[in-house]
Amino acid sequence: MPSPTQIDPGLIEIHRLFATPIASIEVPITAALNRSLADYILTRCDGEASTQHSNIGGWQSAPDLCDWDHPAIGTLLDFSRSFVDRLTAVNSAHGLVEPSHAWKMEGWANVNAKGCSNALHAHPGAFWSLVYWVDDGRDLEETDNGGSWNSTIRAASCPRCMPRPCVSG
C-alpha cells in the first residue's frame, strides 16, 4: 500500500472550536486504506479481549497499535507522522524549523457499535492527539466522514502522538 506522506499544508484546515484548535486533513487513498484497516481491526476485535479505558461498550485494543505489523497500519502511522511534522515547529538557532526527531507514538483501535461511545478523557503527556475514523457508522445515503483526520494539540513537555483508528459497526 503506498504511503501518502507528502502533505500539502494548504490542505490542512484549522478549526477554532475550543481553546485548543483542531487541525484536520483528508487522507489520500481513503477507500482502499479504510477497507484494509477495517478488515484487520475487526479480525483483531474478534480474536482479542477488549481493554477498558475510555470505551463505554464496544471494543478497545491494547495501546500497541504502533507495533501491529500490517501495511495499512504502517500507512496510517506514516501519514500521522507527516501530518504532525507539518503542524509542529521546533525552536533552533536558525529560528523555527520543522522537527527532525522521531516521534514517540502510542495508539489503539476502538470498535463501537450503535449505542457505544468513548467517555471524555485526556491524554496526559501528549504533544499531539490524533483520531482517524475508518467508518463513521453512517448509512451509505448519508455523508461519509471516513478518512478525515482530526488532530488536537495538547500542551505537554514531551512530543508524543496517539493515532486512534476507530471502526464503527
Side-chain angles (χ1 to χ4, degrees):
M1 181 167 291
S3 183
T5 57
Q6 298 301 319
I7 294 177
D8 177 357
L11 298 176
I12 298 172
E13 296 179 18
I14 306 295
H15 309 276
R16 288 171 172 62
L17 303 174
F18 310 102
T20 301
I22 297 174
S24 64
I25 190 168
E26 268 311 298
V27 177
I29 66 168
T30 302
L33 179 66
N34 285 349
R35 272 192 306 277
S36 186
L37 287 167
D39 291 346
Y40 185 66
I41 292 168
L42 290 172
T43 298
R44 289 188 75 115
C45 175
D46 289 340
E48 298 176 12
S50 178
T51 61
Q52 184 65 45
H53 293 288
S54 63
N55 50 317
I56 301 169
W59 175 83
Q60 188 169 20
S61 74
D64 62 354
L65 180 134
C66 299
D67 298 327
W68 294 1
D69 186 21
H70 191 274
I73 298 294
T75 297
L76 187 64
L77 295 175
D78 289 346
F79 190 87
S80 70
R81 284 182 198 98
S82 295
F83 184 38
V84 297
D85 279 349
R86 295 305 261 170
L87 295 171
T88 306
V90 176
N91 197 7
S92 75
H94 307 288
L96 295 176
V97 297
E98 268 191 43
S100 60
H101 60 273
W103 291 98
K104 179 181 176 188
M105 298 175 71
E106 178 181 85
W108 54 90
N110 292 326
V111 178
N112 289 328
K114 187 173 185 174
C116 300
S117 64
N118 291 83
L120 180 64
H121 62 282
H123 300 150
F127 195 86
W128 289 102
S129 295
L130 289 87
V131 176
Y132 181 81
W133 286 271
V134 172
D135 179 345
D136 63 8
R138 295 177 188 218
D139 293 330
L140 294 177
E141 303 84 47
E142 297 182 65
T143 303
D144 181 20
N145 289 330
S148 178
W149 272 97
N150 289 297
S151 177
T152 48
I153 188 169
R154 308 269 182 193
S157 60
C158 65
R160 181 177 181 189
C161 69
M162 300 178 174
R164 298 185 317 167
C166 302
V167 179
S168 299

